[in-house]
Amino acid sequence: MIAAAIEMPSVEGQLERNGSLADFIWFRTGGPAEWLVKPKDVADLSRFLAELDPHVPVLPVGVGSNLIVRDGGVPGVVVRLPKSLAKVTVEAGNRVRAGGGAMGITVASKARDAGIAGLEFLRGIPGTAGGAVRMNAGAYGREVADILVEAILVLRDGRVETWPKERFGYTYRHSATPEGAVVVEALFEGVPGDPAAIGGEMDRIAQEREASQPLRSRTGGSTFKNPPGSKAWKLIDEAGCRGLRQGDAQVSEKHCNFLLNLGKASSAEIEALGEEVRRRVLAKSGVLLEWEIQRVGVVK
């Protein structure tokens, strides 16, 4: 952990020492944040980061849907955006502006109601707009790079910048978002569409997810990136890993690119199970799977 002698700047929002992350991340496990910060607004976040010792690491976290927080906790500052930065509004030109804390389903629903097509896939993204922009989230043949116009970031030094899509340098599940930067707003663009048809596609996505993914379990979403020309789940299945367990951590039998916390799994067990899956897939197929879930913090 960072030395306790380092003083935190004040915030108008909330600042908590040893703030629990396991209370809200999807796996419901892992250690605390050394400092958990929920700023009041963009100006509050900007000032806080500008005044924060530059050696203190900063990690933005949305709802923790694709996150393993290691058992030793996260040094430095974890930033969570407030509800005031989760608003979604419709603009001219088939555009939707979303706060970084807005959930994908909220953005997709707002677009549907306005007759804006092309954002339906966000119904299948169980995270926030800010996280989706950072990782180029995607599902059902679409990704953020297809719909983003620009995004507003608060950089680690407190500067507020608007980045056009091109500056993110998007590749598969990756962007050039700087370390410690927080995506506080995104502008998406779709095309004109029929609300009923858009709603039908969103319903299809929801039904497909419900049928194929362990949505009601303690999980972290898709664990590994799909290798070029293949599917991670298929390689995992072929390597005999479906249902594989390590303590209370298990490879889902419903969708084997999902890891589960059956109740009392430690983050170490979940991560070790993922590494065992990677080892077995490599031995079987010669493919080394790349983690899609972000793993953060200190091993206990």
Side-chain angles (χ1 to χ4, degrees), residues 178-258:
E179 189 172 345
V182 183
V183 180
V184 294
E185 189 175 282
L187 181 62
F188 301 116
E189 185 175 51
V191 296
D194 172 53
I198 296 167
E201 173 63 7
M202 287 174 60
D203 290 344
R204 183 193 70 80
I205 289 171
Q207 291 163 8
E208 188 172 317
R209 288 185 72 234
E210 181 71 37
S212 65
Q213 299 176 12
L215 301 181
R216 305 186 189 284
S217 304
R218 296 180 178 182
T219 183
S222 294
T223 307
F224 303 106
K225 298 178 182 179
N226 288 324
S230 187
K231 295 288 186 182
W233 74 264
K234 192 169 187 298
L235 295 173
I236 294 168
D237 202 16
E238 290 171 350
C241 296
R242 186 182 293 268
L244 185 67
R245 282 187 66 166
Q246 183 149 331
D248 249 9
Q250 181 184 41
V251 176
S252 171
E253 295 183 354
K254 190 172 187 179
H255 190 313
C256 48
N257 195 24
F258 283 64

Side-chain angles (χ1 to χ4, degrees), residues 104-121:
I105 185 173
T106 306
V107 180
S109 298
K110 200 77 171 182
R112 174 201 61 208
D113 295 346
I116 300 172
L119 280 66
E120 296 91 339
F121 76 96

Side-chain angles (χ1 to χ4, degrees), residues 133-286:
V133 168
R134 171 179 286 274
M135 71 171 290
N136 192 22
Y140 305 96
R142 301 273 286 168
E143 58 186 12
V144 165
D146 298 326
I147 60 171
L148 184 69
V149 177
E150 63 185 25
I152 299 175
L153 288 71
V154 180
L155 302 181
R156 174 59 185 82
D157 61 7
R159 285 178 295 145
V160 180
E161 293 187 351
T162 299
W163 283 26
K165 176 180 69 175
E166 293 72 25
R167 191 169 176 184
F168 285 92
Y170 280 131
T171 55
Y172 177 64
R173 303 295 178 267
H174 182 265
S175 79
T177 306
E179 189 172 345
V182 183
V183 180
V184 294
E185 189 175 282
L187 181 62
F188 301 116
E189 185 175 51
V191 296
D194 172 53
I198 296 167
E201 173 63 7
M202 287 174 60
D203 290 344
R204 183 193 70 80
I205 289 171
Q207 291 163 8
E208 188 172 317
R209 288 185 72 234
E210 181 71 37
S212 65
Q213 299 176 12
L215 301 181
R216 305 186 189 284
S217 304
R218 296 180 178 182
T219 183
S222 294
T223 307
F224 303 106
K225 298 178 182 179
N226 288 324
S230 187
K231 295 288 186 182
W233 74 264
K234 192 169 187 298
L235 295 173
I236 294 168
D237 202 16
E238 290 171 350
C241 296
R242 186 182 293 268
L244 185 67
R245 282 187 66 166
Q246 183 149 331
D248 249 9
Q250 181 184 41
V251 176
S252 171
E253 295 183 354
K254 190 172 187 179
H255 190 313
C256 48
N257 195 24
F258 283 64
L259 301 181
L260 309 178
N261 175 4
L262 298 181
K264 297 182 179 179
S266 66
S267 294
E269 288 174 329
I270 295 169
E271 188 170 3
L273 177 61
E275 290 296 342
E276 176 63 15
V277 168
R278 295 178 79 219
R279 187 192 68 77
R280 294 192 184 196
V281 169
L282 180 62
K284 173 71 175 178
S285 65

